[in-house]
Amino acid sequence: MGISSLAQETMCYMGQYLVFSEAEDVINNLTGAGVNAKQIERVCHKYGQWIEDADNAVIKNLVYKEYESGKADELHYVSVDGAMYLTREESWKESKVAVNS
């Protein structure tokens, strides 16, 4: 028996915001579905792999272009939500970047 697309979407959504075991508790309490943390983890990893494969295909097919050095100072649109980086002092730390256009 497969997992419905709605259940997969719910698992991915909750798996992004909570530890998988906590996501299990929330989903089961709200829906009575009976999923477990390992299922949520597997679904999240599968979707993540699909996204990574799609990104790698875009990169491989040279969809991204390099700009000539003379155009490097021109205004470009950039959007980044945030990134995690490892610091010696504080372990992992989140960095937020503003949108530039």
Side-chain angles (χ1 to χ4, degrees):
M1 183 165 120
I3 300 172
S4 74
S5 58
L6 176 60
Q8 290 176 38
E9 183 178 353
T10 302
M11 293 164 85
C12 282
Y13 183 82
M14 296 305 295
Q16 289 179 63
Y17 292 100
L18 299 171
V19 175
F20 296 130
S21 60
E22 293 172 356
E24 171 188 339
D25 291 340
V26 171
I27 291 170
N28 291 338
N29 285 331
L30 292 176
T31 67
V35 299
N36 64 51
K38 195 63 178 175
Q39 288 174 307
I40 297 169
E41 180 181 3
R42 287 184 183 132
V43 168
C44 289
H45 287 181
K46 184 67 172 178
Y47 274 89
Q49 189 63 55
W50 285 341
I51 292 168
E52 183 177 339
D53 292 346
D55 287 347
N56 286 337
V58 167
I59 292 167
K60 183 179 177 184
N61 292 324
L62 301 175
V63 173
Y64 296 113
K65 65 179 182 178
E66 292 185 25
Y67 290 95
E68 300 169 12
S69 60
K71 294 185 176 185
D73 292 332
E74 290 182 13
L75 191 59
H76 299 283
Y77 177 79
V78 177
S79 177
V80 178
D81 177 39
M84 298 295 289
Y85 61 96
L86 184 60
T87 64
R88 291 186 188 156
E89 300 80 23
E90 301 177 35
S91 189
W92 287 98
K93 189 172 186 177
E94 184 174 18
S95 170
K96 290 287 189 180
V97 179
V99 174
N100 238 346
S101 59

